[in-house]
Amino acid sequence: MINACSLRFAPTVCAVEEDYEILIATKTVGMALVEIGDEVYHDTRAGVCRAEADYFKIRVPQSALNAAKNYTVVFRPSLGKKSYFTVFAPHEAVSFPFRPIEKSEGIRIYHVADVHGYFGNAQKTVGYFGDTLDLFVINGDIFEFNTEEGYLSTLAFLGEIGGGEIPMIFSRGNHDTRGRLSERFTEYFPTANGNTYYAVNIGPLRLLVLDCGEDKPDKGPQYDNTEGVPEKYRGLNRFHEYRKSEARFLKVLADKGEKFDFAVTHVCPNMTTFNKADVFNIDADVYADWTDSLEKLGIKFMLCGHYHRCFLLNKDDSRNIVPHSYPVVVASDVKANDFLGGAITYYPDRLDVAFTNMKHEIVEHHEIPLA
């Protein structure tokens, strides 16, 4: 059905705050709308609908889509923009079913990170739960974005695994901050007020999406080694300030007495490198502020990628740099001929965690009690 219309591939439905952000890519320019029941939702810029675009992020209330359990993408191909209006070709409409999280326990989550463009391998791995999956967590290092085609390849992967009907959590990794067009990341993927960190309410779950940015210092020579340029002018990254802004965001939530079930972040702030001898143990003081707030916010666990391994980081692990009381599930193992992720079943008092491979075999299994 997708091939018969102007959509490049199935949309992706990401949870952000109390909304869904629906990501839509089209084969030609025009205007995309989302219809849920009698309501129509648009992608606007300061009150003007985008009508000469081929990519759209459309916000809809979770409550509306959860109740309807289906939505329709309407696309109006542009024939050219005039001074006051655009001339459109006949509109096209494609409907998609949607499966909100309605369980209170036994919620099936598949976590994948560090895809690094190996979409075929990752696609085989993430099908572990089949039609019983409730939520995808796509946790960073998907691609280094040098071209628009890189963004489209990522969206094609998301559309293929989710089919437009399964909610997703999408976070940025350190490799996603690299590449010629990495500065356009927020044009394509979910944000809250332009930020890649935010709170999410979805079904019975409350979670935090966080973003550690790069795993190297902002002014490292990898980013700017231009001769004759003073150091104060150098550097493409300002992640130290970005991490501090996240620390302030978390503190505000903690001071309000809010509570969350878990956090998602690509790099683990409690163990910024796998080996303490490495040189990239950056911003430990800022991550300590993060952790202090996360403890007050009552998170029961954290989901991470980044290390290309599958393991648990408990509070007494010798690799901890910043102490924490919650377990960290690191579920990402990229091998030459295999790809591992985390099949997680959530209960209010425990987690069932299986690290699974492309053949849907369980490589390692853990039962984790939750405080």
Side-chain angles (χ1 to χ4, degrees):
M1 180 167 56
I2 297 299
N3 293 332
C5 72
S6 291
L7 299 188
R8 284 180 179 263
F9 21 75
T12 296
V13 182
C14 294
V16 182
E17 299 177 318
E18 296 185 354
D19 297 327
Y20 294 119
E21 201 158 79
I22 302 179
L23 315 180
I24 301 165
T26 57
K27 298 174 185 175
T28 186
V29 299
M31 177 181 179
L33 317 167
V34 168
E35 187 174 38
I36 301 174
D38 294 329
E39 295 293 328
V40 177
Y41 302 89
H42 307 81
D43 185 345
T44 63
R45 297 294 183 274
V48 178
C49 289
R50 302 183 73 211
E52 294 290 321
D54 60 3
Y55 182 68
F56 306 86
K57 296 197 302 179
I58 299 180
R59 278 255 189 157
V60 305
Q62 285 192 30
S63 57
L65 185 50
N66 290 349
K69 294 186 174 61
N70 65 78
Y71 63 100
T72 299
V73 176
V74 179
F75 183 66
R76 304 180 65 197
S78 170
L79 297 178
K81 194 160 190 177
K82 308 298 182 182
S83 294
Y84 294 100
F85 60 91
T86 297
V87 178
F88 293 105
H91 71 274
E92 306 167 7
V94 185
S95 295
F96 297 88
F98 183 72
R99 296 178 2 215
I101 300 176
E102 297 181 312
K103 302 175 179 176
S104 59
E105 61 178 29
I107 298 170
R108 291 181 168 180
I109 303 166
Y110 202 90
H111 174 280
V112 64
D114 301 290
V115 174
H116 292 293
Y118 294 104
F119 297 117
N121 287 353
Q123 187 174 332
K124 293 174 184 176
T125 300
V126 301
Y128 176 82
F129 280 127
D131 293 337
T132 66
L133 180 70
D134 298 302
L135 178 68
F136 273 119
V137 175
I138 313 297
N139 196 1
D141 276 13
I142 307 303
F143 222 57
E144 291 185 7
F145 295 106
N146 287 296
T147 66
E148 289 187 352
E149 285 302 316
Y151 283 111
L152 293 174
S153 296
T154 300
L155 290 162
F157 165 69
L158 299 177
E160 187 66 31
I161 65 175
E165 60 182 279
I166 300 170
M168 295 191 183
I169 302 297
F170 189 88
S171 75
R172 185 173 69 167
N174 56 295
H175 277 267
D176 304 317
T177 71
R178 303 173 188 172
R180 186 173 63 89
L181 296 185
S182 59
E183 64 199 59
R184 296 181 59 187
F185 184 92
T186 57
E187 295 178 25
Y188 286 88
F189 297 119
T191 62
N193 299 315
N195 290 316
T196 50
Y197 59 87
Y198 42 83
V200 179
N201 294 344
I202 181 167
L205 302 174
R206 293 201 80 199
L207 64 122
L208 291 155
V209 175
L210 301 175
D211 184 352
C212 290
E214 258 292 8
D215 64 349
K216 298 171 179 60
D218 285 349
K219 293 189 180 297
Q222 299 93 336
Y223 304 111
D224 191 345
N225 58 3
T226 309
E227 290 186 11
V229 175
E231 183 180 356
K232 67 179 180 179
Y233 300 143
R234 291 189 179 192
L236 292 173
N237 295 332
R238 296 293 182 269
F239 286 119
H240 173 67
E241 287 303 319
Y242 199 61
R243 295 180 196 109
K244 288 175 67 176
S245 72
E246 290 180 75
R248 292 189 292 270
F249 162 74
L250 291 171
K251 187 177 186 304
V252 168
L253 293 175
D255 287 348
K256 290 179 179 178
E258 299 202 28
K259 298 297 179 183
F260 290 85
D261 296 297
F262 66 102
V264 174
T265 175
H266 178 73
V267 180
C268 176
N270 305 107
M271 185 191 80
T272 54
T273 63
F274 197 81
N275 184 338
K276 279 191 175 182
D278 289 347
V279 297
F280 299 135
N281 295 338
I282 55 176
D283 274 353
D285 55 338
V286 180
Y287 288 141
D289 290 340
W290 282 28
T291 302
D292 180 63
S293 292
L294 290 170
E295 298 281 5
K296 293 175 181 176
L297 291 166
I299 68 166
K300 301 174 184 177
F301 64 98
M302 177 180 284
L303 298 179
C304 297
H306 185 60
Y307 304 99
H308 293 209
R309 294 169 170 86
C310 290
F311 63 95
L312 301 182
L313 184 76
N314 291 310
K315 62 181 180 180
D316 56 353
D317 197 295
S318 63
R319 293 167 293 191
N320 285 315
I321 294 168
V322 178
H324 58 99
S325 65
Y326 46 82
V328 178
V329 179
V330 180
S332 162
D333 197 349
V334 184
K335 300 180 182 294
N337 298 305
D338 205 355
F339 191 96
L340 276 67
I344 300 162
T345 306
Y346 171 85
Y347 299 88
D349 62 345
R350 68 189 189 280
L351 287 183
D352 182 289
V353 177
F355 299 136
T356 69
N357 62 18
M358 287 166 50
K359 295 180 180 179
H360 297 174
E361 298 167 332
I362 296 176
V363 176
E364 193 174 318
H365 179 261
H366 300 272
E367 288 277 353
I368 305 172
L370 299 177

